[in-house]
Amino acid sequence: MGSEDLRRRRTNVRANVRAAPGPCAHWNDEDADFIREVLDLVGDKWSVLIIGTLADGPVRYSNLRDAIPGISQRMLTLTLKHLQRTGLVTRTSYPEVPPRVEYALTDLGRSLLSTVLALAAWSADHHAEIRRHQTEYDNATT
Amino acid sequence: MGSEDLRRRRTNVRANVRAAPGPCAHWNDEDADFIREVLDLVGDKWSVLIIGTLADGPVRYSNLRDAIPGISQRMLTLTLKHLQRTGLVTRTSYPEVPPRVEYALTDLGRSLLSTVLALAAWSADHHAEIRRHQTEYDNATT
DNA sequence: CCGGATCCAGAACGATACTG
DNA sequence: CAGTATCGTTCTGGATCCGG
């Protein structure tokens, strides 16, 4: 693993003693760290897809792989580990033959799901407007 | 192609092949694309910080740079362009000497701010629990 | 004062092959 | 079935220098 070792992903960048003015009125510097941790967690390519797929109940590894088009086994495993480490999903392996492993959302994961759904709703509501701005911007700069 | 596909999907009950599985019960594949666009936009290292800093009103470039500790000029410029392209912020340059440029949130940007605040609240509420899970996971795997 | 341009290290991601 | 190992590519972000 080495460079992708999970526990070293967020090497702490503390020792920030507020030399600068508060960046924002809605959160302080410490809160900013928290939200960035969550965005690092959820802002990657697959996390929200996996969380959404687990919304209805436990799902097996291969079902996840099939349900999420385009994901590689590597990223599925990696992201699941990541989500498991932060306590959003649980992994349960049943000692059978053939092996069976189920992943499920924890209560914490479900609570995040609801706020992610708000973001999804915003995306659906405004994607047309976003597209309009984008093409407008692109035309203005060419 | 339509009716043939439909027939095939119906007869796939025997095989364990979910022909075109929606990945999630809460959004379809197209919605998944939208939310990923928004996450790509907002999930980077600086976007939310900038949005938060602009929450109270227009801010000049150099004030942004000072208010956001650790950001490089390159990333500030880049991220601002990105946000401007999607219509979340506006850029207004005043033809003065010395030059002055102000950035401000659009209505779209403010609407996103409110949903981002929900995520920030979730982060603040659960960061302790997350930390606990992380150390627990790390201890279990060593 | 407000950037643009360039270079570069490291991280994220994907493809493929292999294993208990 | 459910992963791990390894390699290669692409992308991100920081440092630095330059320009209007």
Side-chain angles (χ1 to χ4, degrees), chain B residues 60 62 73 77 81 91 103:
Chain B
R60 299 184 55 172
S62 32
Q73 290 202 173
T77 302
K81 256 190 199 161
R91 187 195 116 112
Y103 292 89

Side-chain angles (χ1 to χ4, degrees), chain B residues 3 13 21 23 27 30 33 39 42 49-50 79 88 120 125-126 131 133 137 141:
Chain B
S3 61
V13 179
W27 54 67
E30 201 186 21
D33 280 356
L39 281 173
V42 117
L49 271 305
I50 292 178
T79 310
L88 295 175
D125 284 352
H126 298 97
R131 290 244 189 281
H133 279 291
Y137 180 95
T141 52

Side-chain angles (χ1 to χ4, degrees), chain A residues 24-94:
Chain A
C24 168
H26 293 87
W27 53 66
N28 56 39
D29 287 0
E30 202 185 21
D31 289 342
D33 278 356
F34 298 156
I35 191 177
R36 199 135 78 177
E37 274 179 61
V38 173
L39 281 173
D40 278 358
L41 173 68
V42 117
D44 68 35
K45 205 172 176 184
W46 303 108
S47 290
V48 289
L49 272 297
I50 291 178
I51 290 174
T53 309
L54 292 177
D56 301 328
V59 181
R60 299 183 56 170
Y61 182 88
S62 35
N63 293 131
L64 276 173
R65 192 184 16 146
D66 297 341
I68 301 175
I71 197 170
S72 63
Q73 290 203 165
R74 174 183 140 83
M75 289 318 294
L76 179 56
T77 303
L78 223 57
T79 309
L80 282 170
K81 261 188 196 159
H82 201 177
L83 294 173
Q84 190 192 348
R85 182 172 113 93
T86 64
L88 295 175
V89 312
T90 56
R91 188 194 113 113
T92 317
S93 90
Y94 298 91

